[in-house]
Coordinates of all heavy atoms in Angstrom, one line a residue:
M114 N 113.8 80.1 66.3 CA 114.0 78.8 67.0 C 115.1 78.0 66.4 O 115.8 77.3 67.0 CB 112.7 78.0 67.1 CG 111.7 78.6 68.1 SD 110.2 77.8 68.2 CE 110.5 76.5 69.4
N118 N 118.7 76.7 68.0 CA 118.9 75.3 68.0 C 117.9 74.5 68.8 O 118.2 73.5 69.5 CB 120.3 74.9 68.6 CG 121.4 75.2 67.5 OD1 121.2 74.8 66.3 ND2 122.5 75.7 67.9
I119 N 116.7 74.9 68.7 CA 115.6 74.2 69.4 C 115.1 73.0 68.5 O 114.9 73.2 67.4 CB 114.5 75.2 69.8 CG1 115.0 76.2 70.8 CG2 113.3 74.4 70.3 CD1 114.1 77.4 71.0
I120 N 115.0 71.9 69.2 CA 114.7 70.7 68.4 C 113.4 70.8 67.6 O 112.4 71.2 68.2 CB 114.7 69.4 69.3 CG1 114.6 68.2 68.5 CG2 113.7 69.5 70.4 CD1 114.9 66.9 69.3
Y121 N 113.5 70.6 66.3 CA 112.4 70.7 65.3 C 111.9 72.2 65.3 O 110.8 72.4 64.7 CB 111.2 69.8 65.6 CG 111.6 68.3 65.6 CD1 111.5 67.5 66.7 CD2 111.9 67.7 64.3 CE1 111.7 66.1 66.6 CE2 112.2 66.4 64.3 CZ 112.1 65.6 65.4 OH 112.3 64.2 65.3
Y127 N 106.6 69.4 61.3 CA 106.6 68.9 62.7 C 105.5 69.6 63.5 O 104.8 68.9 64.3 CB 107.9 69.1 63.4 CG 108.1 68.3 64.6 CD1 108.5 67.0 64.6 CD2 107.8 68.8 65.9 CE1 108.6 66.2 65.7 CE2 107.9 68.0 67.0 CZ 108.3 66.7 66.9 OH 108.4 66.0 68.1
L184 N 108.6 62.3 80.9 CA 109.9 63.1 80.8 C 109.6 64.6 81.2 O 108.4 64.9 81.3 CB 110.4 63.1 79.4 CG 110.8 61.8 78.8 CD1 111.0 61.9 77.3 CD2 112.0 61.2 79.5
H185 N 110.6 65.4 81.2 CA 110.4 66.9 81.3 C 110.5 67.5 79.9 O 111.5 67.3 79.2 CB 111.5 67.4 82.3 CG 111.3 67.0 83.7 ND1 112.1 65.9 84.2 CD2 110.5 67.4 84.7 CE1 111.7 65.7 85.4 NE2 110.8 66.6 85.7
E186 N 109.6 68.3 79.6 CA 109.6 69.0 78.3 C 110.6 70.1 78.2 O 110.9 70.7 79.3 CB 108.1 69.5 78.0 CG 107.9 70.2 76.7 CD 108.2 69.2 75.5 OE1 109.4 68.9 75.3 OE2 107.2 68.9 74.8
Y187 N 111.0 70.4 77.0 CA 111.9 71.6 76.8 C 111.0 72.9 76.9 O 110.1 73.1 76.1 CB 112.5 71.6 75.4 CG 113.4 70.4 75.2 CD1 113.0 69.4 74.3 CD2 114.7 70.3 75.7 CE1 113.8 68.3 74.0 CE2 115.5 69.2 75.5 CZ 115.0 68.2 74.7 OH 115.8 67.1 74.4
I188 N 111.3 73.7 77.9 CA 110.5 74.9 78.1 C 110.5 75.8 76.9 O 109.5 76.5 76.6 CB 111.0 75.7 79.4 CG1 110.1 76.9 79.7 CG2 112.4 76.1 79.3 CD1 108.6 76.5 80.1
E189 N 111.6 75.8 76.1 CA 111.7 76.7 74.9 C 110.6 76.4 73.9 O 110.2 77.2 73.1 CB 113.0 76.5 74.2 CG 114.2 77.0 75.0 CD 114.7 75.9 76.0 OE1 114.1 74.8 76.0 OE2 115.7 76.2 76.7
T190 N 110.0 75.2 74.0 CA 109.0 74.8 73.0 C 107.6 75.2 73.4 O 106.7 75.2 72.6 CB 109.0 73.3 72.6 OG1 108.6 72.6 73.8 CG2 110.4 72.9 72.2
I191 N 107.4 75.5 74.7 CA 106.1 75.8 75.2 C 106.0 77.0 76.2 O 105.3 76.9 77.2 CB 105.5 74.5 75.9 CG1 106.4 74.0 77.0 CG2 105.1 73.4 74.9 CD1 105.8 73.1 78.0
P192 N 106.7 78.1 75.9 CA 106.8 79.1 76.9 C 105.4 79.6 77.4 O 105.3 80.0 78.6 CB 107.6 80.3 76.2 CG 107.7 79.9 74.8 CD 107.5 78.4 74.7
Y226 N 104.0 75.2 85.5 CA 104.0 73.8 85.0 C 105.4 73.3 85.3 O 106.4 74.0 84.9 CB 103.6 73.9 83.5 CG 103.7 72.5 82.8 CD1 103.3 71.3 83.4 CD2 104.1 72.5 81.5 CE1 103.3 70.1 82.7 CE2 104.2 71.3 80.7 CZ 103.8 70.1 81.4 OH 103.8 68.9 80.6
L228 N 106.7 70.8 83.8 CA 107.2 70.3 82.5 C 107.0 68.7 82.4 O 107.4 68.1 81.4 CB 108.6 70.7 82.2 CG 108.8 72.2 82.2 CD1 110.3 72.5 82.0 CD2 108.0 72.9 81.2
C229 N 106.5 68.1 83.4 CA 106.4 66.7 83.4 C 105.3 66.3 82.4 O 104.2 66.8 82.4 CB 105.9 66.2 84.8 SG 105.7 64.4 84.9
H230 N 105.7 65.4 81.5 CA 104.7 64.9 80.5 C 104.9 63.4 80.1 O 106.0 62.9 80.2 CB 104.7 65.8 79.2 CG 106.0 65.6 78.5 ND1 107.2 66.2 78.9 CD2 106.3 65.0 77.3 CE1 108.2 65.9 78.0 NE2 107.6 65.1 77.0
W232 N 105.2 60.6 77.6 CA 105.8 60.6 76.3 C 104.9 60.0 75.3 O 104.6 58.8 75.3 CB 107.1 59.9 76.3 CG 108.2 60.5 75.4 CD1 108.3 61.7 75.0 CD2 109.4 59.8 75.0 NE1 109.4 61.9 74.2 CE2 110.1 60.7 74.2 CE3 109.9 58.5 75.1 CZ2 111.3 60.4 73.5 CZ3 111.0 58.1 74.5 CH2 111.8 59.1 73.7
R265 N 106.2 76.0 69.6 CA 106.3 74.7 69.0 C 105.7 73.6 69.9 O 106.3 72.6 70.3 CB 107.7 74.3 68.6 CG 107.9 73.4 67.4 CD 108.8 72.3 67.7 NE 108.3 71.4 68.8 CZ 109.0 70.6 69.5 NH1 110.3 70.5 69.3 NH2 108.5 69.8 70.5
W266 N 104.4 73.9 70.3 CA 103.8 73.1 71.3 C 103.7 71.6 70.8 O 103.3 71.3 69.7 CB 102.4 73.6 71.6 CG 102.4 74.9 72.2 CD1 103.4 75.6 72.7 CD2 101.2 75.7 72.5 NE1 103.0 76.8 73.3 CE2 101.7 76.9 73.2 CE3 99.8 75.6 72.3 CZ2 100.8 77.9 73.6 CZ3 99.0 76.6 72.7 CH2 99.4 77.7 73.4
G267 N 104.1 70.7 71.7 CA 104.0 69.3 71.4 C 102.7 68.7 71.9 O 102.0 69.2 72.8
P270 N 102.9 67.3 76.0 CA 102.4 68.1 77.1 C 100.9 68.4 77.1 O 100.3 68.5 78.1 CB 103.3 69.4 77.0 CG 103.9 69.4 75.7 CD 104.0 67.9 75.2
P297 N 115.7 58.4 72.4 CA 116.8 57.7 72.9 C 116.5 57.0 74.3 O 117.5 56.7 75.0 CB 117.9 58.9 73.2 CG 117.0 60.0 73.6 CD 115.7 59.8 72.9
F298 N 115.3 56.8 74.6 CA 115.0 56.3 76.0 C 114.3 54.9 76.0 O 113.6 54.6 75.1 CB 114.1 57.3 76.7 CG 114.7 58.7 76.9 CD1 114.2 59.8 76.4 CD2 115.9 58.8 77.6 CE1 114.7 61.1 76.5 CE2 116.5 60.0 77.8 CZ 115.9 61.2 77.3
Y326 N 116.1 62.6 84.0 CA 115.4 63.0 82.8 C 113.9 62.8 83.0 O 113.0 63.5 82.5 CB 115.7 62.3 81.6 CG 117.1 62.3 81.1 CD1 117.9 61.2 81.2 CD2 117.7 63.5 80.6 CE1 119.2 61.2 80.7 CE2 119.0 63.5 80.2 CZ 119.8 62.4 80.2 OH 121.0 62.4 79.8

Side-chain angles (χ1 to χ4, degrees):
M114 289 178 86
N118 281 320
I119 294 165
I120 185 166
Y121 298 117
Y127 196 84
L184 300 170
H185 294 96
E186 183 59 293
Y187 301 106
I188 184 66
E189 295 84 0
T190 65
I191 53 162
Y226 175 38
L228 307 175
C229 181
H230 67 286
W232 215 21
R265 207 229 63 201
W266 293 354
F298 298 119
Y326 301 111

